[in-house]
Amino acid sequence: MIARFRRGQPVPAILLSTLLLAMLTTAGSANAQSAGASPEPYRLHPGDVLLINVLEDPELDRQTLILPDGRISLPVAGTIVAAGQTPAGLERTIQRRLRKNFVKLPTVTVGVVSLADPEDDEDALREVFVLGEVGTPGRFEYDSEKPITVLKALSLAGGLGPFAARSRIQVRETVDGAETVQLFDYDAIEQGAGVSLKGLTALQDGTVIIVPERGLLE
């Protein structure tokens, strides 16, 4: 039943209060929806450092860096384009890659350990990426006026880990548009041999150093 009032007839106080309450509730709801709008999810960039965990198999857990080409490499899952994806999206991609190796879809989490710095001065700074069995894998900057070697880059990354394949360290650089891969024997350098190896010459901007895990017989 709808109440009707003649023009000039006063509105009962209880009805007026009800109308005011309804108006305030509507306005408050609209403001809450506006304030609670979810921000755009973060999308990954080259240079971001990720922590990837696989609940069902901790041996697949990795801290890895998104390389300049936007890719990451993971055991079993292989090479994946991570740049442009959200962390949640990358989780799903890794799950699909690992699915055939598990009875059911594995539980994967992707955390962002550190973000790429978008304000780098490209003219003054160069960068090197150190991945794998080192203390702190990641992206490291250095002054273009002070070139660094593999030894210096490994030092910046916290040194070799206890499970590092010390004689099979990969140094990946791009020369004339083609990627080159050279092996670096840390033990040989440490013992004073192999002075002509890559470890004693300056690295190019964007060099990627990969320290793999040693095998059972190494």
Side-chain angles (χ1 to χ4, degrees):
M1 178 177 178
I2 300 176
R4 299 180 182 277
F5 298 92
R6 293 189 299 274
R7 182 175 298 177
Q9 179 182 356
V11 179
I14 185 171
L15 181 57
L16 184 60
S17 298
T18 301
L19 291 172
L20 288 174
L21 179 59
M23 293 172 62
L24 290 174
T25 301
T26 301
S29 177
N31 290 335
Q33 290 179 0
S34 176
S38 299
E40 285 293 319
Y42 176 73
R43 294 193 175 274
L44 302 170
H45 296 83
D48 289 350
V49 178
L50 309 177
L51 180 60
I52 300 173
N53 296 105
V54 181
L55 180 62
E56 289 78 4
D57 189 353
E59 291 188 2
L60 296 178
D61 294 352
R62 285 293 184 278
Q63 180 168 306
T64 189
L65 177 79
I66 302 180
L67 297 177
D69 63 1
R71 301 173 185 271
I72 60 173
S73 294
L74 300 173
V76 183
T79 301
I80 298 172
V81 176
Q85 295 202 56
T86 64
L90 182 57
E91 289 174 356
R92 293 190 291 272
T93 300
I94 297 172
Q95 284 179 319
R96 290 194 296 270
R97 291 288 190 92
L98 297 177
R99 177 67 180 87
K100 64 181 179 180
N101 296 281
F102 292 85
V103 175
K104 61 179 182 179
L105 199 66
T107 305
V108 178
T109 59
V110 174
V112 181
V113 177
S114 64
L115 301 177
D117 185 357
E119 299 181 356
D120 290 340
D121 184 349
E122 297 181 358
D123 294 330
L125 296 176
R126 294 184 177 182
E127 57 189 10
V128 61
F129 302 85
V130 186
L131 310 176
E133 295 301 313
V134 292
T136 54
R139 167 178 171 271
F140 303 92
E141 296 175 347
Y142 60 95
D143 193 322
S144 60
E145 299 296 324
K146 299 177 181 179
I148 64 173
T149 64
V150 173
L151 291 176
K152 176 63 175 179
L154 292 174
S155 176
L156 292 174
L160 298 180
F163 303 107
R166 300 164 64 93
S167 63
R168 295 190 292 110
I169 298 171
Q170 300 176 25
V171 181
R172 295 175 174 265
E173 295 181 324
T174 301
V175 179
D176 296 329
E179 184 182 47
T180 65
V181 181
Q182 298 187 49
L183 293 181
F184 170 66
D185 189 335
Y186 187 94
D187 287 336
I189 295 293
E190 196 173 49
Q191 295 166 10
V195 293
S196 63
L197 294 178
K198 184 65 182 178
L200 301 182
T201 58
L203 299 176
Q204 294 185 9
D205 184 23
T207 295
V208 177
I209 300 172
I210 301 176
V211 183
E213 293 183 2
R214 58 181 169 83
L216 294 176
L217 301 180
E218 290 185 85

